[in-house]
Amino acid sequence: MLKKTLTALFLMFISIAQGQEISINSSLLTGSWAANWITHPAAAQRAYGVYHFRKHFELSQLPASFIVQVSADNRYRLFVNGAAVCSGPARGDLFNWYFETIDLAPYLKVGKNTIAALVWNMGELAPVAQISNQTGFLLQGNTAKEAIVNTNSSWLVLQNKAYSPTSLDNRERLQAYMVVGPGDQVDGKQYPWGWEKNGYDDQAWLAAKPISDSVPIGYGTDNLWTMAPRTIPLFKESMTRFPSIRRTNGISVPDGFLSGKMPFLIPAHQSLKVLFDHQVACVAYPELLLSAGKGAKIKLTYAEALFDQDRQKGNRNEIEGKEILGNYDVFIADGGQERLFRPLWWRAYRYVEMEISTRDEPLLVHDFYGQSTGYPLTLKASFESSDPSLKKIWETGWRTAALCAGELYYDTPYYEQLQYTGDSRIQALISLYLSGDDRLMRKAITDFYHSRTPEGLTQGRYPSNRLQIIPTFSLFWVSMVHDYWMHRKDDAFVKQFLPAIAEIMSWYENRIQKDKGMLGPMKWWNFVDWDNFNDWGVAPGAEQGNSSIISLQCAYTMKQAATLFNAFGKKDDAEALFAAANELNYGTYQRCFNAEKGLIADTPEKLSYSQHAGIWAVLSGAVRQDAARNLMSKLLHTSGIGQVTFFYRFYLVQAMKRAGMANQYMEQLEPWRHMLDMGLTTFAEKPEPTRSDCHAWSASPNYDFLATICGIMPAAPGFRKVNIAPALGSLSWIKASMPHPNGMIYLELQKTQQGKGIKGKIELPEKLSGTFYWEGMEIELHEGKQVIQL
């Protein structure tokens, strides 16, 4: 049992550490650990470097369990007796440095055992998502039984000089923002092959240097890292092979190579390029198995798509006249047998070009494949309809969401691997609706909570080693907390965020110009959407004051915050926020609505108009329900106004639903059909030309198929009740299932009477009731099976 003195924060950590399904010794959360953080005694501590740590110990009998906590800065990969065990840590910050809890018993044997860890620090070249203090490794036994492996000076360490950073010019070569860190160049002749195995000779290795105590949150002084339990599951790996080779120059590659059954030989003093096509985008550790070929250079270049001479991607399936540009790794063979090259970090790719140049010795290439990895989202939902083309959108959207889910909700796995609030809100709803898994959503909400600045705003992306504040994204964070509250009964988790929400709302309240009832000049980067406004996506009026878009988004969010405060007994705060929201709605409508055009202008000067302003006018309630439909019709059919890109199409659909236009949703799927026609296998960041081919905010149709077409929405906080208001549009029938905290929701519906009626079946899980809506009619729903006939 935990001591009563544990803080609420510790209780939260204990409850959500269930993601690892192994119990943490409670004493490790209430004071200093016995293990030390250790490092290399002579290496520069904040510079680029790759290190190996080893520890030998004897066992007279096999234990039933052997649980340890493990972490590192920047990253680690843990081995026991040569077998890979896990990787980590999940990214956080120095105040919340995560550790994994692992049972090593399945990897142990009677007699001599070796625990080994590959640890690396990318230094100043680290990904922007990587926060760091200095090179370090930590392993702590769960109880006295495992204390024999605690990190201290009895561990040995070696700096691996085979590694050097490469692929440092991608930002220039791709002419795009790319901040995922360098590629790896590995010189095989300097690599300590077999370093992780039991019989390796480590007599020349140095004793590791202890550098810091290890302590959990709430304890310690002069902490370099403050430890917190990992709150998401460990990631597994599974082999993924390339289905095809699209082109070669030089030596032909045998057909059996792709299946791992037939190696091929490259003679001495030869060059070869092979373009592998995975056919769909993936996230994986590429693994290349080689023999001989001393001095041969192998370069692996990874890309989402190829580029033509004008640097355009075009149809992603077409390769003629196109070249590969992107992140790459380099391996220089040492001539040994069955050398396995694998980069330190996974790569995102559809295409991989293998470029080989041999020297005085032929090179034998045994195999090349990937080990796919990522957050273990499990698809539990299903959707079928009378339109078979929706199946491809559903499958592609799920792939997009899955590849953008790791230890964070990545905006894009190829270019950034950063967690942005605007992206994460949409990604979290997809996770809830399709997998029922809320753990990564909880981590994202908590990460942004930890990112808060002295002004009270959250950072726009986090974890991040560079400061970025997007005030509109702080509003999305509040919406994300509200979403969680509506979909999960978890009051203790939500309640802790109320003070932070109050600070964000106060920041905005202080910027309301009382004489105008709109927000005044705004600081920081007031991003709204790409392809509109200016090159940075900043809303008109944001910097000078009186942006209708931000004023109305603020009103929408204030109402959500007020609902939360009201639910948790903060009645006065709720009333004040409702009043502020109404003030913003009234002032913005009065100054920005153009009656002649029937549109909301971006600013009171009425020089520009956008779908974005109208969307927030509808969602915030600035326009009456009876006027919302007319406004939305104008937004959908008026040319010459700012158009939403894929990010804001999520909010366009929400506004259509609020205006009673959900039946027109099917008409909004053309951008996704176009992406599929262009050969994309994941959905892109924005319309062509796009930087990222995999951007999870564009997977919103997967949520909308269930929340809009099927019309499944929570009708009470914690999803205690459900509303089902199907909007089939041009579809004649739908069949779907969706995870709910109590079980699964099933529905099967078909139009009747030329689309005016509906019939079918609905099944709700235990203890769930709700209401079914169709064309102004209602049916009360109860747990279990029921027949619908209207």
Side-chain angles (χ1 to χ4, degrees):
M1 293 292 292
L2 294 177
K3 296 179 181 179
K4 293 181 179 179
T5 54
L6 282 177
T7 63
L9 188 60
F10 282 133
L11 290 173
M12 179 189 73
F13 279 151
I14 282 293
S15 67
I16 56 183
Q18 295 174 33
Q20 298 183 89
E21 300 176 350
I22 299 176
S23 298
I24 302 170
N25 185 341
S26 61
S27 67
L28 297 178
L29 299 177
T30 58
S32 294
W33 297 4
N36 300 123
W37 279 89
I38 58 174
T39 192
H40 191 284
Q45 291 300 297
R46 292 191 167 106
Y48 175 97
V50 180
Y51 306 89
H52 302 294
F53 293 86
R54 281 168 62 89
K55 169 74 175 181
H56 304 295
F57 63 102
E58 299 278 342
L59 289 176
S60 59
Q61 61 183 16
L62 289 179
S65 67
F66 198 91
I67 297 170
V68 299
Q69 337 297 327
V70 59
S71 192
D73 185 350
N74 301 165
R75 320 271 321 174
Y76 74 85
R77 189 178 184 211
L78 188 69
F79 297 82
V80 174
N81 294 326
V85 176
C86 69
S87 298
R91 279 183 177 143
D93 56 33
L94 296 179
F95 188 77
N96 302 273
W97 196 271
Y98 294 108
F99 63 86
E100 283 72 40
T101 299
I102 311 294
D103 187 357
L104 303 183
Y107 305 92
L108 300 175
K109 61 183 182 178
V110 173
K112 182 179 179 181
N113 291 268
T114 300
I115 299 183
L118 167 64
V119 174
W120 63 94
N121 183 351
M122 292 291 100
E124 70 276 9
L125 303 175
V128 169
Q130 182 66 58
I131 292 173
S132 175
N133 195 325
Q134 67 173 78
T135 300
F137 177 63
L138 174 70
L139 191 142
Q140 166 70 49
N142 205 44
T143 66
K145 175 181 67 175
E146 299 96 350
I148 190 173
V149 297
N150 288 353
T151 43
N152 50 41
S153 59
S154 69
W155 279 68
L156 301 176
V157 62
L158 173 75
Q159 183 170 8
N160 189 337
K161 296 297 184 69
Y163 282 89
S164 59
T166 191
S167 189
L168 303 177
D169 57 349
N170 277 322
R171 195 161 179 174
E172 291 74 26
R173 295 169 71 234
L174 289 167
Q175 297 179 7
Y177 185 64
M178 189 168 187
V179 289
V180 296
D184 301 330
Q185 177 160 310
V186 178
D187 185 349
K189 68 178 181 294
Q190 296 190 66
Y191 194 90
W193 299 103
W195 67 271
E196 74 279 17
K197 297 177 181 178
N198 217 342
Y200 180 82
D201 182 3
D202 55 17
Q203 293 185 54
W205 289 31
L206 302 177
K209 177 183 178 182
I211 50 173
S212 173
D213 292 335
S214 46
V215 290
I217 291 175
Y219 296 88
T221 180
D222 289 346
N223 299 354
L224 296 183
W225 303 269
T226 305
M227 309 305 297
R230 183 184 179 107
T231 59
I232 56 175
L234 294 170
F235 300 167
K236 297 179 180 179
E237 297 179 14
S238 60
M239 181 180 288
T240 178
R241 289 197 170 274
F242 293 93
S244 68
I245 291 174
R246 297 293 298 276
R247 68 184 175 206
T248 64
N249 71 331
I251 300 163
S252 61
V253 179
D255 293 338
F257 176 75
L258 293 176
S259 62
K261 297 177 180 178
M262 187 175 295
F264 67 94
L265 186 71
I266 304 170
H269 303 294
Q270 295 289 318
S271 295
L272 171 68
K273 286 185 180 180
V274 184
L275 181 65
F276 295 86
D277 184 358
H278 195 259
Q279 295 186 356
V280 296
C282 75
V283 164
Y285 291 96
E287 293 191 346
L288 176 63
L289 189 63
L290 307 165
S291 287
K294 185 176 181 179
K297 181 178 179 180
I298 304 95
K299 179 180 180 182
L300 300 174
T301 303
Y302 315 97
E304 294 181 314
L306 306 185
F307 294 86
D308 64 21
Q309 60 184 1
D310 297 321
R311 300 185 67 87
Q312 299 301 307
K313 298 178 182 179
N315 190 295
R316 303 321 194 251
N317 297 322
E318 298 171 359
I319 67 169
E320 191 65 33
K322 296 181 180 180
E323 64 174 338
I324 195 166
L325 297 172
N327 195 21
Y328 61 87
D329 297 308
V330 174
F331 176 66
I332 301 173
D334 68 316
Q337 296 299 304
E338 296 189 350
R339 299 305 200 200
L340 178 66
F341 169 73
R342 165 182 162 131
L344 296 171
W345 188 239
W346 52 261
R347 307 302 185 208
Y349 58 84
R350 171 180 168 175
Y351 291 100
V352 180
E353 182 180 79
M354 182 188 297
E355 183 178 359
I356 300 176
S357 298
T358 57
R359 300 185 69 178
D360 297 336
E361 186 175 305
L363 176 72
L364 184 62
V365 183
H366 294 282
D367 206 354
F368 182 48
Y369 51 86
Q371 294 286 357
S372 63
T373 190
Y375 187 92
L377 280 178
T378 301
L379 179 60
K380 295 181 179 178
S382 63
F383 179 84
E384 300 176 59
S385 74
S386 56
D387 183 347
S389 69
L390 298 189
K391 181 180 180 182
K392 190 69 178 292
I393 295 176
W394 173 267
E395 292 172 347
T396 305
W398 171 250
R399 182 181 301 114
T400 306
L403 295 186
C404 291
E407 59 203 346
L408 312 170
Y409 278 125
Y410 302 128
D411 61 330
T412 159
Y414 189 83
Y415 287 91
E416 296 185 41
Q417 298 169 24
L418 283 162
Q419 181 172 254
Y420 290 83
T421 330
D423 306 59
S424 294
R425 185 195 180 190
I426 299 170
Q427 291 170 269
L429 287 170
I430 295 169
S431 294
L432 291 181
Y433 267 64
L434 273 70
S435 75
D437 191 334
D438 58 30
R439 291 171 291 182
L440 193 55
M441 181 183 191
R442 289 167 58 97
K443 183 179 185 298
I445 290 172
T446 306
D447 285 341
F448 289 116
Y449 175 68
H450 294 156
S451 80
R452 287 170 299 146
T453 64
E455 289 183 314
L457 294 178
T458 58
Q459 294 185 43
R461 62 191 186 197
Y462 203 77
S464 171
N465 58 40
R466 302 178 191 174
L467 179 69
Q468 182 198 76
I469 298 176
I470 306 177
T472 54
F473 278 27
S474 289
L475 297 177
F476 286 131
W477 180 74
V478 177
S479 295
M480 196 173 178
V481 176
H482 184 270
D483 292 341
Y484 184 85
W485 175 68
M486 286 299 296
H487 290 83
R488 291 293 184 269
K489 176 62 176 173
D490 195 353
D491 287 354
F493 180 73
V494 173
K495 187 176 181 180
Q496 68 181 311
F497 304 121
L498 296 183
I501 292 173
E503 285 193 337
I504 293 169
M505 294 297 94
S506 178
W507 190 91
Y508 274 95
E509 283 184 280
N510 290 335
R511 283 158 178 77
I512 298 176
Q513 294 181 332
K514 296 298 182 181
D515 59 329
K516 295 181 179 179
M518 297 184 70
L519 292 172
M522 308 288 288
K523 299 193 301 180
W524 304 108
W525 180 23
N526 288 279
F527 172 81
V528 172
D529 194 8
W530 294 120
D531 291 356
N532 283 288
F533 320 131
N534 63 19
D535 290 342
W536 288 94
V538 175
E543 295 171 352
Q544 300 79 17
N546 305 145
S547 162
S548 68
I549 297 172
I550 302 178
S551 294
L552 293 171
Q553 184 189 353
C554 183
Y556 161 87
T557 311
M558 282 179 166
K559 289 185 176 182
Q560 291 181 321
T563 303
L564 286 171
F565 287 142
N566 200 46
F568 286 91
K570 297 179 176 295
K571 307 295 184 184
D572 293 342
D573 294 337
E575 288 181 10
L577 281 176
F578 277 126
N582 290 334
E583 179 184 4
L584 285 171
N585 276 342
Y586 179 79
T588 305
Y589 183 82
Q590 290 297 314
R591 285 166 176 76
C592 298
F593 182 68
N594 185 319
E596 181 180 347
K597 292 179 178 291
L599 294 170
I600 301 288
D602 294 328
T603 64
E605 291 77 20
K606 299 177 182 174
L607 299 177
S608 66
Y609 298 81
S610 66
Q611 290 182 323
H612 309 73
I615 286 168
W616 288 120
V618 171
L619 291 177
S620 69
V623 295
R624 300 187 313 272
Q625 186 68 30
D626 58 350
R629 191 178 187 95
N630 290 334
L631 176 56
M632 287 305 302
S633 182
K634 289 279 188 181
L635 294 180
L636 293 174
H637 301 108
T638 301
S639 60
I641 66 173
Q643 301 292 300
V644 296
T645 64
F646 301 152
F647 170 33
Y648 250 75
R649 281 190 170 273
F650 171 83
Y651 295 98
L652 176 69
V653 174
Q654 302 309 302
M656 290 173 62
K657 290 173 67 174
R658 186 178 178 89
M661 299 170 65
N663 273 310
Q664 297 183 32
Y665 170 71
M666 290 288 293
E667 302 167 14
Q668 300 303 315
L669 290 174
E670 285 310 307
W672 284 273
R673 298 185 192 279
H674 178 67
M675 282 188 276
L676 294 177
D677 290 342
M678 290 288 289
L680 277 88
T681 62
T682 48
F683 290 132
E685 180 177 9
K686 66 185 189 69
E688 294 285 291
T690 184
R691 175 190 62 153
S692 165
D693 275 7
C694 182
H695 220 89
W697 68 22
S698 298
S700 58
N702 286 65
Y703 168 77
D704 285 319
F705 283 9
L706 297 171
T708 301
I709 295 177
C710 296
I712 304 171
M713 292 290 291
F719 223 144
R720 295 193 308 272
K721 291 184 178 294
V722 64
N723 284 340
I724 300 180
L728 274 64
S730 59
L731 300 174
S732 60
W733 62 266
I734 56 173
K735 182 179 180 181
S737 63
M738 176 189 147
H740 178 275
N742 296 2
M744 292 292 294
I745 296 172
Y746 298 95
L747 63 82
E748 189 171 347
L749 300 170
Q750 182 176 350
K751 285 182 181 177
T752 62
Q753 300 174 353
Q754 290 75 49
K756 296 181 180 180
I758 195 165
K759 67 177 182 179
K761 298 176 290 186
I762 290 177
E763 183 177 351
L764 301 184
E766 184 178 331
K767 297 181 181 179
L768 180 64
S769 61
T771 308
F772 180 85
Y773 297 91
W774 179 262
E775 301 293 338
M777 297 177 282
E778 301 178 14
I779 297 177
E780 292 304 309
L781 301 173
H782 54 79
E783 65 176 80
K785 298 178 181 179
Q786 48 235 289
V787 174
I788 302 297
Q789 182 79 51
L790 287 173

PDB file of all heavy atoms in Angstrom, residues 6 28 30 162 270 399 432 603:
ATOM      1  N   LEU A   6       1.764  10.257   0.182  1.00  0.00           N
ATOM      2  CA  LEU A   6       1.997  10.427  -1.253  1.00  0.00           C
ATOM      3  C   LEU A   6       1.102  11.525  -1.793  1.00  0.00           C
ATOM      4  O   LEU A   6      -0.063  11.612  -1.441  1.00  0.00           O
ATOM      5  CB  LEU A   6       1.703   9.128  -2.003  1.00  0.00           C
ATOM      6  CG  LEU A   6       2.771   8.045  -1.932  1.00  0.00           C
ATOM      7  CD1 LEU A   6       2.291   6.812  -2.665  1.00  0.00           C
ATOM      8  CD2 LEU A   6       4.066   8.522  -2.531  1.00  0.00           C
ATOM      9  N   LEU A  28      10.025   3.514  -4.180  1.00  0.00           N
ATOM     10  CA  LEU A  28      10.797   4.235  -5.195  1.00  0.00           C
ATOM     11  C   LEU A  28      10.133   5.546  -5.584  1.00  0.00           C
ATOM     12  O   LEU A  28      10.725   6.339  -6.332  1.00  0.00           O
ATOM     13  CB  LEU A  28      11.001   3.361  -6.427  1.00  0.00           C
ATOM     14  CG  LEU A  28      11.809   2.088  -6.222  1.00  0.00           C
ATOM     15  CD1 LEU A  28      11.893   1.279  -7.505  1.00  0.00           C
ATOM     16  CD2 LEU A  28      13.210   2.414  -5.713  1.00  0.00           C
ATOM     17  N   THR A  30       8.944   7.623  -3.166  1.00  0.00           N
ATOM     18  CA  THR A  30       8.892   8.434  -1.943  1.00  0.00           C
ATOM     19  C   THR A  30      10.262   8.842  -1.429  1.00  0.00           C
ATOM     20  O   THR A  30      10.397   9.225  -0.271  1.00  0.00           O
ATOM     21  CB  THR A  30       8.153   7.669  -0.834  1.00  0.00           C
ATOM     22  OG1 THR A  30       8.822   6.428  -0.585  1.00  0.00           O
ATOM     23  CG2 THR A  30       6.717   7.390  -1.219  1.00  0.00           C
ATOM     24  N   ALA A 162      32.777   4.445 -33.582  1.00  0.00           N
ATOM     25  CA  ALA A 162      32.371   4.107 -34.946  1.00  0.00           C
ATOM     26  C   ALA A 162      31.310   5.063 -35.480  1.00  0.00           C
ATOM     27  O   ALA A 162      31.156   5.218 -36.687  1.00  0.00           O
ATOM     28  CB  ALA A 162      31.838   2.669 -34.985  1.00  0.00           C
ATOM     29  N   GLN A 270      32.634  -2.080 -57.733  1.00  0.00           N
ATOM     30  CA  GLN A 270      31.368  -1.897 -58.444  1.00  0.00           C
ATOM     31  C   GLN A 270      30.482  -0.934 -57.654  1.00  0.00           C
ATOM     32  O   GLN A 270      30.630  -0.751 -56.444  1.00  0.00           O
ATOM     33  CB  GLN A 270      30.636  -3.235 -58.607  1.00  0.00           C
ATOM     34  CG  GLN A 270      31.359  -4.236 -59.487  1.00  0.00           C
ATOM     35  CD  GLN A 270      31.334  -3.838 -60.945  1.00  0.00           C
ATOM     36  OE1 GLN A 270      30.310  -3.385 -61.457  1.00  0.00           O
ATOM     37  NE2 GLN A 270      32.457  -4.002 -61.614  1.00  0.00           N
ATOM     38  N   ARG A 399      -4.031   4.265 -40.980  1.00  0.00           N
ATOM     39  CA  ARG A 399      -2.570   4.153 -41.131  1.00  0.00           C
ATOM     40  C   ARG A 399      -1.910   5.487 -40.773  1.00  0.00           C
ATOM     41  O   ARG A 399      -0.881   5.524 -40.088  1.00  0.00           O
ATOM     42  CB  ARG A 399      -2.211   3.753 -42.560  1.00  0.00           C
ATOM     43  CG  ARG A 399      -0.695   3.575 -42.770  1.00  0.00           C
ATOM     44  CD  ARG A 399      -0.345   3.207 -44.207  1.00  0.00           C
ATOM     45  NE  ARG A 399      -0.991   1.975 -44.605  1.00  0.00           N
ATOM     46  CZ  ARG A 399      -1.923   1.884 -45.545  1.00  0.00           C
ATOM     47  NH1 ARG A 399      -2.322   2.971 -46.193  1.00  0.00           N
ATOM     48  NH2 ARG A 399      -2.466   0.725 -45.853  1.00  0.00           N
ATOM     49  N   LEU A 432      -9.547   7.713 -29.337  1.00  0.00           N
ATOM     50  CA  LEU A 432     -10.669   7.313 -28.498  1.00  0.00           C
ATOM     51  C   LEU A 432     -11.720   6.565 -29.301  1.00  0.00           C
ATOM     52  O   LEU A 432     -12.236   5.531 -28.864  1.00  0.00           O
ATOM     53  CB  LEU A 432     -11.302   8.547 -27.845  1.00  0.00           C
ATOM     54  CG  LEU A 432     -10.485   9.277 -26.782  1.00  0.00           C
ATOM     55  CD1 LEU A 432     -11.280  10.458 -26.247  1.00  0.00           C
ATOM     56  CD2 LEU A 432     -10.090   8.355 -25.646  1.00  0.00           C
ATOM     57  N   THR A 603     -11.706  40.928 -39.809  1.00  0.00           N
ATOM     58  CA  THR A 603     -11.486  42.055 -38.901  1.00  0.00           C
ATOM     59  C   THR A 603     -12.624  43.055 -39.089  1.00  0.00           C
ATOM     60  O   THR A 603     -13.363  42.991 -40.088  1.00  0.00           O
ATOM     61  CB  THR A 603     -10.145  42.775 -39.195  1.00  0.00           C
ATOM     62  OG1 THR A 603     -10.200  43.339 -40.501  1.00  0.00           O
ATOM     63  CG2 THR A 603      -8.959  41.809 -39.100  1.00  0.00           C
TER      64      THR A 603
END
